[in-house]
Amino acid sequence: DQQVKQNSPSLSVQEGRISILNCDYTNSMFDYFLWYKKYPAEGPTFLISISSIKDKNEDGRFTVFLNKSAKHLSLHIVPSQPGDSAVYFCAARDDNYGQNFVFGPGTRLSVLP
Amino acid sequence: GAGVSQSPSNKVTEKGKDVELRCDPISGHTALYWYRQSLGQGLEFLIYFQGNSAPDKSGLPSDRFSAERTGGSVSTLTIQRTQQEDSAVYLCASSSKKGSFAGANVLTFGAGSRLTVL
C-alpha cells in the first residue's frame, strides 16, 4: 500500500519555464511534508518542507503548496534551470510510526536548455 | 563529522556471500535510518534507530538483513547470503531528536553504498 504517490515518473520542462511536480498521499495523519532532490551517485538532499498547518511555503525559486482536503502537495520551481535536472522525492512524516518518513517513488525532472 | 558518511561507496560481491555496509551519522543525531533504492525504484525504508529505543525493523525484506547501531552512533547493515535482487544503492540518513522545530524533521542522507551482487 503506497502511502505517498508520485504518479509522474518523469517530467521535461524548458529552461525558464515553471516546473510543477505533484505528490498525493493517503494517510491523513501525515503532519509534515518534505521534498528532496537527488542527483546521480549522490544521496538525496533536502529542498523544502511544509507543515500540515500551512498551505504554502516559499524559498527562493521553490514553492511547496499543500491541499490537505485533497491530500495533495506540489512543488513549483520557477524559473527552471538546467541544474534543477534531478530526481525529486516527496516525503511525509507520521509521528505515530517509528520510522515516520515515507517516501514517494520520485519524479525525474529534465530541464532542457 | 559534518555529514553522513557511508562505506564502502561501491561493493561488488558474489551471490551467497555476506556483506557489511557502514554508516557514520552526523554527530549528535539520535535518529538513524537505512533505506535502499533499487534500479528505477523509489526509496524503500529498511530500518530505523531512535536513541535507546528498540529499532523499527518493519522494513527489512528478509531475515538475511540485520542492522545494529553501536553506542548510539555508527551503524552497520549486514546482508547474509546475498542474492541478486539485493543489488541496490543502500542509503543511510540521520536526523536530530524528534521535536517540533523544523530541523528535527529533516533527514540528512549519505551518498550511499552501491551493492552489486553477481
Side-chain angles (χ1 to χ4, degrees), chain A residues 11-22 60-65 74-81 84 109-112:
Chain A
L11 175 68
S12 292
V13 172
Q14 209 69 35
E15 181 180 5
R17 299 291 186 98
I18 184 171
S19 295
I20 300 176
L21 298 110
N22 293 303
R61 295 185 298 114
F62 303 91
T63 303
V64 56
F65 294 92
S74 60
L75 173 68
H76 292 209
I77 307 173
V78 54
S80 301
Q81 300 173 354
D84 297 329
L109 174 66
S110 299
V111 180
L112 309 173

Side-chain angles (χ1 to χ4, degrees), chain A residues 33-76:
Chain A
F33 303 89
L34 309 93
W35 284 93
Y36 282 81
K37 180 170 73 173
K38 186 181 184 302
Y39 293 119
E42 295 182 11
T45 55
F46 170 72
L47 192 57
I48 193 169
S49 64
I50 188 167
S51 166
S52 60
I53 63 173
K54 296 188 175 182
D55 55 18
K56 178 182 175 181
N57 187 25
E58 188 173 354
D59 184 2
R61 295 185 298 114
F62 303 91
T63 303
V64 56
F65 294 92
L66 175 63
N67 182 334
K68 282 188 66 178
S69 61
K71 296 191 179 68
H72 176 83
L73 68 156
S74 60
L75 173 68
H76 292 209

